[in-house]
Amino acid sequence: MKIPFENEVKIFVIRCPYFNWADPRVQRLFGKFIECKAVGYQKEYTQRVFPLNVYDFIATLILMAEVREDEIRPLSMFKSVTHSVCQYYRRPFELMEVVSHEPLLLYEVQARLATQPGDSIAYNSSWTIAPVFRKDPEKRDFLRDLTAATLVNYYQDAGSPLVLSVASRSRKTDRFHLEGGFSVFQDRLGHSLPDFISPFLPGESTVLMEVKHPSPKWRAYAENWEGLWNAREVLGQ
């Protein structure tokens, strides 16, 4: 697939905006990330869902954007936060807040965290494609594939052997996860845990998913767009 945009498409990786806030480039790109996230969620959920939180400041933010001279136009994005970063800032692992009203899920996530090093578990969230491109099949499919490719490349480089994510059944993001090699989160006996209603997505059935090895399809995406990943701009320590 060719890149269906007239201008350069670039990947930006913004590490812990709060720690690196003195850098004007971090401030600017953080604003672009929040813009993409807010507009994307408002389009999907209207004003009833507030998608911004403190973890946006301490996570690693991955933004795919169209760049023309000094102009940056957000295309798609996601964020990732590890257990160790949450511990450093004395915050609960972000996923714990998502499953806080589900005793079984909460117990099993806590059990998993207790048995693995903090930097080996990451919570992936905030997947968004800018709404203006969702009605254009070519651009939508490109951004969908590029997001999958970037997710694989990011976690391979970060060395995170376990990635957790929450998918929406009604929005069918669970199918996107399954395509990428995710499976429903299992307890210590190997039983898949049930769906739940996320407190942040009122009335929506969601499912906790995990992946250790991405699917061949997503690995192929990662290889195909490796050039864009290698040309990424990394901000922050």
Side-chain angles (χ1 to χ4, degrees):
M1 176 187 291
K2 67 176 184 178
I3 297 178
F5 290 92
E6 294 181 2
N7 302 300
E8 178 188 10
V9 171
K10 192 174 185 66
I11 299 170
F12 295 93
V13 178
I14 309 105
R15 295 174 176 163
C16 191
Y18 176 74
F19 186 81
N20 297 288
W21 197 250
D23 185 341
R25 298 175 304 160
V26 170
Q27 296 177 28
R28 183 185 184 197
L29 284 167
F30 181 79
K32 294 294 183 181
F33 179 90
I34 295 300
E35 172 192 340
C36 186
K37 187 175 183 180
V39 172
Y41 274 74
Q42 285 174 2
K43 176 66 174 178
E44 195 72 23
Y45 299 102
T46 68
Q47 295 283 350
R48 69 189 181 92
V49 170
F50 184 75
L52 312 177
N53 59 37
V54 66
Y55 297 96
D56 295 330
F57 286 89
I58 65 174
T60 295
L61 315 181
I62 295 87
L63 177 70
M64 286 139 276
E66 186 179 20
V67 178
R68 180 186 178 188
E69 297 178 353
D70 195 43
E71 181 183 353
I72 298 174
R73 185 187 193 190
L75 302 176
S76 61
M77 46 147 281
F78 62 86
K79 80 176 185 186
S80 177
V81 66
T82 62
H83 186 210
S84 57
V85 167
C86 295
Q87 289 176 313
Y88 180 83
Y89 284 104
R90 300 179 184 275
R91 298 291 306 178
F93 188 44
E94 184 177 7
L95 177 59
M96 306 289 279
E97 297 192 354
V98 180
V99 300
S100 60
H101 295 85
E102 300 292 328
L104 178 58
L105 277 170
L106 186 62
Y107 176 79
E108 292 296 340
V109 171
Q110 288 175 327
R112 190 75 67 90
L113 293 176
T115 60
Q116 294 190 231
D119 59 355
S120 69
I121 299 180
Y123 176 58
N124 184 275
S125 64
S126 303
W127 296 14
T128 306
I129 292 177
V132 68
F133 304 118
R134 296 179 189 175
K135 293 183 179 180
D136 183 322
E138 185 180 18
K139 292 180 178 178
R140 181 196 62 216
D141 291 348
F142 165 75
L143 292 172
R144 183 180 183 273
D145 295 352
L146 180 60
T147 298
T150 304
L151 187 146
V152 172
N153 283 321
Y154 171 74
Y155 284 113
Q156 284 180 343
D157 284 6
S160 300
L162 177 62
V163 180
L164 305 175
S165 186
V166 172
S168 168
R169 296 288 197 190
S170 60
R171 310 285 168 173
K172 300 180 181 178
T173 58
D174 58 319
R175 298 183 184 180
F176 185 56
H177 284 72
L178 289 169
E179 175 191 282
F182 282 80
S183 59
V184 177
F185 188 80
Q186 296 183 337
D187 63 19
R188 289 166 295 170
L189 299 177
H191 301 136
S192 296
L193 296 180
D195 293 5
F196 66 102
I197 303 298
S198 168
F200 302 107
L201 299 175
E204 294 215 5
S205 177
T206 56
V207 57
L208 177 59
M209 307 188 78
E210 62 180 325
V211 64
K212 295 181 180 178
H213 305 289
S215 68
K217 185 174 185 177
W218 276 25
R219 290 200 301 271
Y221 290 154
E223 183 177 346
N224 189 48
W225 298 114
E226 188 177 14
L228 284 179
W229 176 249
N230 292 337
R232 69 193 180 279
E233 181 174 346
V234 181
L235 293 86
Q237 303 176 20

